[in-house]
């Protein structure tokens, strides 16, 4: 279109041998240039791809292949008179081209996603009216809406593709007894507000349990200062009869909150082995004895992150403690069709959306983060991952790969270049 910046002159090249390509010869896109194995959009995409995307590429959105092909064709045509000496593309012009192209593709993507209309795993911008938005403003609504739509669409597509495989369970009754027992023990019930919540430790589950107690009348307010009891005054789906379980799974609103798998593991490690004596004695002592030479005298409070990861490698996923068991094994998203998947990364906004969706009283809000809580930041995660053997992390990833792929989290970047930053 008219707004496109002028295409720079191409470097001077040797004259073509003839005006026609010889039979069997690959096409040369510029006169006198050797055939290239990858060009246009395909080469740019390959060059920009991160290591995690290279291992687990995402499926293309509708029309994406056509856009890439058209882009490759348009960029491959020589423009202008061709002659002259070598002219380099200025860096600012390149930046402008990339920026304009990215904006155009995002606009196209938004139109495509609007046609798909997947079931709402995330609230659309503007739906958080009654409770004050949870940290969002006009800028977030304008700039973040498309990002959430893309994330929601990726999760929808991936879950449908994975759970649509013939070998995957279609209901909790198709699960082996141990797996069924695990998921039913993690589904909390509110009969008054007709919803099921699958709690995942280290994904704000204590606050959600506090809310359930308030909704049931067992707790006056979410702000009451008391030590959280994770068993009393809560109703678990696993305590019900089979017909009662089936009815609620079919008719109640079901939701779960997820978190970046490596961030969740680091949070569990820092909390359980740095603060909780019970875990230090039950797990820490054994971990140090097993993986450290002359570690028999440890009290379990000095477990290293590498030792913790080695322990996870040797554990069966289905037998893990719930604080580091994969979310897939805890909540079985193929056997239970969740109506909403919330993210720890936008906890307040997603939590307020759920509270509106189940029509809870307006005074019930998601609790503020406690002042003593030390969150896992990107810098903290970066530090731990880059000071751990790469081999250890790579061997652990397959155990949590369904959490990464189903919930659209990127694999950790542990390249030398990234860790040097």
């Amino acid at each position: 279109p008219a707004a496109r910046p002028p295409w720079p002159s191409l470097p001077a090249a040797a004259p073509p041998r003839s005006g026609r390509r010889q039979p069997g010869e690959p096409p040369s896109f510029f006169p006198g240039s050797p055939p290239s194995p990858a060009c246009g959009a395909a080469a740019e995409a390959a060059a920009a791809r991160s290591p995690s995307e290279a291992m687990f590429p995402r499926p293309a959105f509708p029309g994406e292949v056509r856009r890439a092909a058209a882009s490759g064709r348009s960029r491959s045509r020589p423009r202008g008179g061709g002659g002259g000496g070598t002219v380099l593309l200025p860096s600012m012009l390149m930046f402008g081209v990339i920026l304009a192209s990215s904006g155009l593709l995002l606009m196209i993507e938004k139109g495509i996603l609007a046609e798909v209309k997947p079931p709402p795993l995330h609230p659309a911008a503007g739906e958080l009216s009654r409770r004050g938005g949870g940290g969002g403003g006009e800028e977030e609504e304008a700039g973040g809406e498309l990002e959430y739509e893309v994330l929601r669409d990726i999760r929808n597509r991936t879950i449908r593709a994975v759970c649509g495989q013939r070998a995957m369970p279609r209901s909790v009754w198709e699960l082996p007894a141990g797996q069924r027992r695990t998921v039913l023990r993690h589904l909390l019930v509110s009969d008054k507000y007709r919803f099921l919540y699958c709690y995942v430790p280290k994904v704000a589950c204590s606050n959600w349990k506090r809310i359930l107690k308030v909704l049931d009348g067992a707790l006056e307010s979410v702000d009451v200062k008391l030590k959280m009891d994770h068993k009393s005054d809560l109703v678990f789906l696993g305590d019900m009869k089979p017909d009662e379980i089936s009815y609620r799974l079919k008719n109640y609103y079901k939701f779960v909150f997820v978190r970046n798998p490596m961030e969740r593991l680091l949070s569990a490690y820092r909390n359980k082995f740095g603060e909780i004596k019970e875990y230090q004695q039950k797990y820490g002592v054994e971990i140090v004895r097993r993986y450290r030479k002359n570690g028999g005298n440890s009290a379990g409070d000095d477990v290293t992150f590498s030792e913790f990861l080695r322990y996870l490698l040797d554990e069966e996923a289905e037998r893990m403690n719930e604080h580091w068991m994969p979310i897939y094994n805890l909540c079985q998203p193929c056997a239970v069709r969740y109506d909403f998947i919330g993210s720890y990364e936008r906890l307040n906004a997603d939590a307020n959306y759920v509270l509106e969706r189940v029509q809870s009283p307006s005074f019930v809000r998601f609790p503020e983060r406690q002042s003593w809580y030390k969150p896992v930041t990107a810098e903290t995660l970066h530090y731990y991952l880059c000071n751990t053997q790469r081999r250890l992390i790579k061997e652990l990833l397959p155990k949590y790969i369904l959490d990464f792929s189903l919930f659209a989290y990127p694999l950790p970047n542990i390249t030398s270049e990234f860790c040097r930053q």
Side-chain angles (χ1 to χ4, degrees):
R4 180 183 296 170
W7 202 266
S9 301
L10 296 170
R17 289 168 294 179
S18 67
R20 183 176 303 174
R21 179 164 56 93
Q22 300 300 315
E25 179 186 358
S28 179
F29 287 92
F30 298 121
S33 65
S36 172
C39 61
E44 292 177 10
R49 203 178 298 165
S50 66
S52 62
E53 289 171 327
M55 291 176 62
F56 299 94
R58 69 163 178 83
F61 289 116
E64 201 167 31
V65 175
R66 293 194 298 273
R67 289 200 305 275
S71 175
R73 286 195 299 270
S74 64
R75 295 177 200 179
S76 66
R77 296 193 196 105
R79 299 177 66 91
T86 301
V87 178
L88 299 177
L89 184 65
S91 58
M92 290 303 295
L93 178 59
M94 175 65 79
F95 176 77
V97 170
I98 294 174
L99 192 63
S101 301
S102 301
L104 179 60
L105 290 178
L106 286 175
M107 293 172 64
I108 297 174
E109 199 67 72
K110 184 175 180 180
I112 293 172
L113 293 176
E115 296 175 2
V116 174
K117 295 182 180 177
L121 295 186
H122 278 274
E127 288 182 291
L128 308 172
S129 56
R130 186 160 59 100
R131 297 169 203 273
E138 291 183 3
E139 291 184 7
E140 181 183 354
E141 290 182 3
E145 182 179 359
L146 177 60
E147 180 182 347
Y148 300 146
E149 286 182 4
V150 172
L151 177 63
R152 178 179 62 205
D153 186 73
I154 292 174
R155 284 180 176 170
N156 280 338
R157 290 167 182 267
T158 308
I159 290 175
R160 282 199 301 267
V162 173
C163 297
Q165 301 298 314
R166 184 175 301 177
M168 302 302 286
R170 300 296 196 277
S171 74
V172 295
W173 309 115
E174 295 182 15
L175 294 170
Q179 296 179 19
R180 180 168 64 249
R181 186 163 52 250
T182 296
V183 66
L184 292 180
R185 283 177 178 173
H186 285 81
L187 282 165
L188 292 170
V189 183
S190 172
D191 283 326
K192 184 176 181 180
Y193 292 93
R194 295 176 66 84
F195 69 79
L196 301 177
Y197 159 59
C198 186
Y199 79 87
V200 178
K202 309 312 299 178
V203 191
C205 73
S206 295
N207 280 340
W208 272 113
K209 290 176 180 178
R210 192 181 291 264
I211 285 177
L212 263 75
K213 292 186 178 188
V214 171
L215 292 177
D216 196 44
L219 198 63
E220 181 180 349
S221 166
V222 295
D223 298 321
V224 173
K225 306 292 184 183
L226 52 80
K227 184 178 179 181
M228 185 62 194
D229 187 329
H230 292 268
K231 298 295 182 183
S232 65
D233 300 318
L234 294 170
V235 180
F236 296 84
L237 192 61
D239 295 333
M240 298 183 172
K241 298 177 182 179
D243 58 332
E244 297 173 329
I245 293 173
S246 296
Y247 174 81
R248 285 162 177 78
L249 285 171
K250 182 179 180 181
N251 295 285
Y252 281 18
Y253 185 76
K254 298 172 287 295
F255 67 93
V256 61
F257 275 70
V258 298
R259 187 178 186 180
N260 181 297
M262 294 306 298
E263 185 180 304
R264 176 173 169 251
L265 288 181
L266 179 55
S267 177
Y269 162 76
R270 294 207 308 170
N271 173 239
K272 301 308 175 187
F273 298 108
E275 303 171 2
I276 312 297
K277 195 160 188 176
E278 177 188 351
Y279 277 79
Q280 294 169 359
Q281 295 174 345
K282 183 176 181 179
Y283 294 98
V285 171
E286 172 62 21
I287 290 174
V288 173
R289 184 194 65 79
R290 190 187 300 183
Y291 300 107
R292 188 185 305 173
K293 190 175 182 179
N294 302 323
N297 296 325
S298 171
D301 58 351
D302 59 344
V303 178
T304 67
F305 189 57
S306 294
E307 289 169 341
F308 175 57
L309 297 188
R310 289 182 65 186
Y311 167 72
L312 296 181
L313 267 175
D314 292 338
E315 286 289 290
E316 293 183 33
E318 295 176 10
R319 298 179 180 273
M320 286 182 176
N321 179 279
E322 63 177 8
H323 289 84
W324 43 80
M325 181 182 286
I327 298 175
Y328 178 86
N329 296 81
L330 287 173
C331 295
Q332 296 290 343
C334 290
V336 179
R337 188 179 179 87
Y338 291 99
D339 299 288
F340 181 82
I341 298 178
S343 295
Y344 186 83
E345 293 74 26
R346 59 189 306 261
L347 179 60
N348 286 338
D350 285 356
N352 286 330
Y353 170 78
V354 170
L355 291 173
E356 286 198 18
R357 178 63 180 74
V358 300
Q359 298 182 348
S360 70
S362 58
F363 68 87
V364 177
R365 55 176 175 75
F366 198 76
E368 296 292 334
R369 177 179 289 167
Q370 300 294 330
S371 58
W372 51 262
Y373 180 72
K374 298 177 181 178
V376 175
T377 64
E379 291 77 12
T380 308
L381 183 62
H382 181 191
Y383 172 82
Y384 275 92
L385 293 181
C386 288
N387 284 280
T388 303
Q389 291 180 340
R390 279 185 235 170
R391 175 191 58 81
L392 200 55
I393 297 175
K394 289 179 179 178
E395 290 178 359
L396 186 66
L397 290 180
K399 192 159 283 188
Y400 293 88
I401 198 61
L402 283 175
D403 286 2
F404 281 105
S405 58
L406 288 181
F407 308 127
Y409 285 108
L411 295 177
N413 187 347
I414 51 175
T415 60
S416 300
E417 180 180 356
F418 178 74
C419 287
R420 276 196 300 266
Q421 295 177 3

